[in-house]
Amino acid sequence: TPSSRQGGISPPEPRRILCGTSLFGGNINEDERRGNETFPVQTRYNLGQVRHMSLETPFPLVNHEIVGHPSLKIHRLKLPSHLLPLLDTVVRGCEMHASTLPTGWQTDLYSLTKQDIALREIPHIYNAAKPVISYIKKAACLVYGVTSGIKMDRNQPHVLKYNYNCKNGKGHTGVELHHDKCDFTVNLMLSHSNEYSGGGTYFPSAESVVRLEFGEFLLHPGGLVHGGVNITQGNRMLLVMFVDKA
């Protein structure tokens, strides 16, 4: 649902649209506790196997892989190493900002994910993240063949936090199957793998769960159904962008 905040930060309508079905047709936490082997195996295609893509480009794509069948247009990439230190700056800035809010991370920016902070609400962090945002936008234009550029609303990018409350076994640990109301969705991993357990992005059409490492990001069409697998320990943070062709 749209935010009730003043200042017009939230878009006029939701960007994540619930699909009304569970991630795996069962209890996600129970599946996760059985171990990763209960989840579909991620299928990867080497970029060189896809005819319409080319490595002959002046713009550097790092560790580019295609997840599932190429027709699904799910891309896994990584930021260049010189941009990685900026991610810890983003995390620290968002945590500090959340500590000043009456409800902390429990914002009303989006109804499905519940714990989101728009970077534009923290101007100095938004400015610090601009090189990361610029790189991702260029990568998205390249892999999807967009020549007109891309645009975002004022909520983009936003940082999403999943956390597991060890005291009561609850918290905001994942998100149901849904699709996004945008042309393309970006998920950039801000957390290190030793900071949480479980998690990942599940794509039913790819029969795959993608678990990103720190500094990796995922590009996929917004209309592609996906969900956030529950974490079972710690905190998992993502920088998310809903983008549209200009």
Side-chain angles (χ1 to χ4, degrees):
T1 57
S3 171
S4 60
R5 296 181 190 180
Q6 300 299 316
I9 286 292
S10 185
E13 53 190 331
R15 299 298 295 267
R16 295 184 178 93
I17 312 300
L18 185 65
C19 294
T21 54
S22 64
L23 280 174
F24 297 100
N27 186 292
I28 303 170
N29 280 329
E30 290 178 359
D31 287 339
E32 185 68 25
R33 280 194 291 269
R34 295 191 195 107
N36 293 346
E37 68 275 5
T38 64
F39 295 104
V41 176
Q42 177 182 334
T43 303
R44 300 180 180 181
Y45 288 78
N46 184 279
L47 185 60
Q49 297 174 314
V50 185
R51 183 174 301 173
H52 70 279
M53 301 296 294
S54 173
L55 289 174
E56 299 299 324
T57 170
F59 183 76
L61 293 178
V62 182
N63 295 358
H64 186 185
E65 297 175 345
I66 292 177
V67 179
H69 193 273
S71 64
L72 297 175
K73 301 179 180 180
I74 307 172
H75 299 267
R76 178 176 185 162
L77 305 98
K78 187 172 184 178
L79 291 178
S81 58
H82 71 278
L83 294 178
L84 296 180
L86 295 176
L87 304 188
D88 289 328
T89 300
V90 171
V91 170
R92 288 194 300 269
C94 288
E95 291 283 22
M96 291 181 63
H97 179 72
S99 70
T100 69
L101 301 177
T103 57
W105 277 92
Q106 295 288 332
T107 65
D108 58 357
L109 195 63
Y110 294 111
S111 58
L112 284 182
T113 43
K114 302 179 181 66
Q115 295 190 157
D116 307 89
I117 291 177
L119 281 193
R120 291 179 194 266
E121 294 186 359
I122 323 172
H124 68 287
I125 298 299
Y126 174 73
N127 288 332
K130 280 184 176 179
V132 172
I133 299 168
S134 177
Y135 179 89
I136 292 175
K137 289 169 67 175
K138 290 178 181 178
C141 286
L142 181 60
V143 300
Y144 290 122
V146 177
T147 58
S148 59
I150 57 179
K151 59 184 180 180
M152 304 185 295
D153 66 40
R154 281 183 53 80
N155 280 345
Q156 315 313 319
H158 60 277
V159 172
L160 163 62
K161 182 177 182 178
Y162 295 113
N163 71 296
Y164 183 84
N165 190 327
C166 59
K167 292 182 179 179
N168 57 22
K170 296 182 180 179
H172 180 50
T173 57
V175 65
E176 305 96 320
L177 284 176
H178 64 282
H179 64 85
D180 303 325
K181 199 171 183 180
C182 59
D183 290 333
F184 310 114
T185 298
V186 179
N187 289 282
L188 168 65
M189 179 54 64
L190 300 177
S191 299
H192 297 266
S193 57
N194 62 352
E195 295 175 336
Y196 66 94
S197 299
T201 304
Y202 173 53
F203 295 97
S205 55
E207 298 184 340
S208 178
V209 174
V210 181
R211 292 186 172 89
L212 298 173
E213 298 295 331
F214 174 75
E216 290 186 331
F217 62 98
L218 194 62
L219 303 173
H220 64 83
L224 192 65
V225 174
H226 60 286
V229 178
N230 284 356
I231 63 170
T232 58
Q233 184 179 354
N235 299 314
R236 177 174 180 257
M237 298 175 65
L238 298 161
L239 184 144
V240 181
M241 296 163 56
F242 298 139
V243 299
D244 294 294
K245 297 176 183 177

